[in-house]
Amino acid sequence: MSEAERDIARRLLAGNGGAAAGTARPQAIPVRPVRARRGRGKQFADHPAVVDALCKQAAIQQLIDSTGLPHPLYLSPEGYNGAVIRSGGRELVNYSSYNYLELAQHSRVIAAANAAAAQYGTSASATRIVTGEIPLYGQLERRLAEIYQVGDALVTSSGFLTNAAVIGFLLGEGDVAVCDSLAHASLVAGTQWAGCRRVTLRHNDPEALEALLRTSRHQFDRALVIIEGHYSMDGDLGRIAEIAEVARRYDCAVLVDEAHALGVLGPNGLGSREHFGLPGDLVDIWAGSLSKAMGSTGGFIAGDADLVRAIKYAAPGMALYTAGPSPSNVAAVLAGLDVLADEPDRLARLWSNARLFCAALREHGMNLADSESTPIVPVIVPGEIRAGYAAAALLQRGYNAGAILSPVIPAGTERLRFFLTSEHTESHLRTTADHLADILTIVDHIPDLPLGPESATVHGLPPGAT
Ligand code: PMP
């Protein structure tokens, strides 16, 4: 630990009245309660969500200001977002890109994106149903249907919107969505859009699903079980076959989000279906994002041809009432799939990096939650200030990993999350593990202060509002 870091830790402790860790009840950072002042353009000044967001943001800023650590949020890369980035004039080893195979900067992918822009322009310039159906969509949809061994697929301009729109279309009043407790916000948004009942399933637990459906399935008309192939918070794999088996017995449909699975799981990177050797029709909807390993932007679903056709013709936000994905984005995915097949060493490097990094972190005694040593690596650092400090301190040393705080994950399971790519080197991974171990010895002495209205000075509100 450097003298500067010792000083920072001292100042953080001073925020706790100077008490040594463990000797006093943690005190919150000084409070200035928020008083609303409504007025022109300020109708939302006292909206709880607005207040909470501003308080959290202010508390993080306060932590940064009081410690002199670099701000870890909204970091701006000056070039490609891969294993190494330049930001703020310095080079960082980066663990915050979903660019697992670094396809987003592959010369073939960029050339394909450029060629598509030259041929079709930079936009589809229409919804698909009215003259926006460029041929690239069909090409990619056939590839995705082959990958998932189903009748058809549909590509869209956003992974988030795909999840929200498809669930919003399929379910309604009287129906139920059974959502894994770690399901992505876009899946939860879909259940809100649908206006159905949402029930939370204990994470990745087929027995809990069985118990839940046994007691409550009869209360609902249609039911959809919503899980992920590769969970983005814990880096564990969805127990798709067992969950689908229970779901079938209780006459439920299943949706699997493949956002972090396509391009990552399976011997050829073709996702969860390939990884587990599942029949494509074991689940009803394979949904996903093109913004992760595929190195592009957009979303997709794959499933039964009639169901996909119905969604294409009738589901708002999929192919209707929204422009088709950009030609370059779709061409990039088509080229990326070719690179995936032609350069299998990328996937091999990604996985050997995952094994190496997880082993190095475990040697240091770190808590990796339910990690299955995949390229998504959580390191649990309970406490918002502690996790925030760990991320900022790591960043100061030249390593960028996101701190994930509640409500994204349950309070008490705050973590640093590392996304690996095929291009991290052994030296990147080992030095990161060593630095993090060192930082965690400091973190142990920081009191566990919450971030939020009780603990933050509110900045950014109009004079007199606080
Ligand atoms: N599903 C999961 C599991 C995700 O992690 C994300 C994005 N982080 C999405 C869906 C949304 O994808 P996109 O970024 O393409 O909108």
Side-chain angles (χ1 to χ4, degrees), residues 67-81:
T67 58
L69 290 170
H71 202 308
L73 302 181
Y74 288 94
L75 200 78
S76 182
E78 285 151 23
Y80 300 134
N81 193 354

Side-chain angles (χ1 to χ4, degrees), residues 98 158-160 163 184 186 228 232 257 259-260 289-292 298:
Y98 315 124
S158 154
F160 189 106
N163 283 341
H184 189 257
S186 54
E228 293 183 20
S232 62
D257 182 343
H260 296 273
S289 163
L290 304 173
S291 329
K292 320 293 187 207

Side-chain angles (χ1 to χ4, degrees), residues 353-427:
N353 279 347
R355 283 187 292 273
L356 189 153
F357 190 50
C358 290
L361 297 172
R362 287 192 175 107
E363 272 165 33
H364 282 292
M366 291 181 210
N367 173 1
L368 306 194
D370 287 339
S371 161
E372 296 182 34
S373 302
T374 75
I376 300 175
V377 184
V379 176
I380 303 296
V381 184
E384 296 190 307
I385 297 276
R386 289 176 179 154
Y389 168 78
L394 202 56
L395 181 57
Q396 194 178 43
R397 295 184 187 202
Y399 302 85
N400 180 41
I404 313 285
L405 311 180
S406 70
V408 178
I409 40 83
T413 70
E414 289 79 7
R415 65 201 55 198
L416 264 57
R417 182 179 52 177
F418 297 81
F419 286 113
L420 303 184
T421 88
S422 52
E423 308 313 306
H424 283 113
T425 64
E426 180 170 348
S427 152

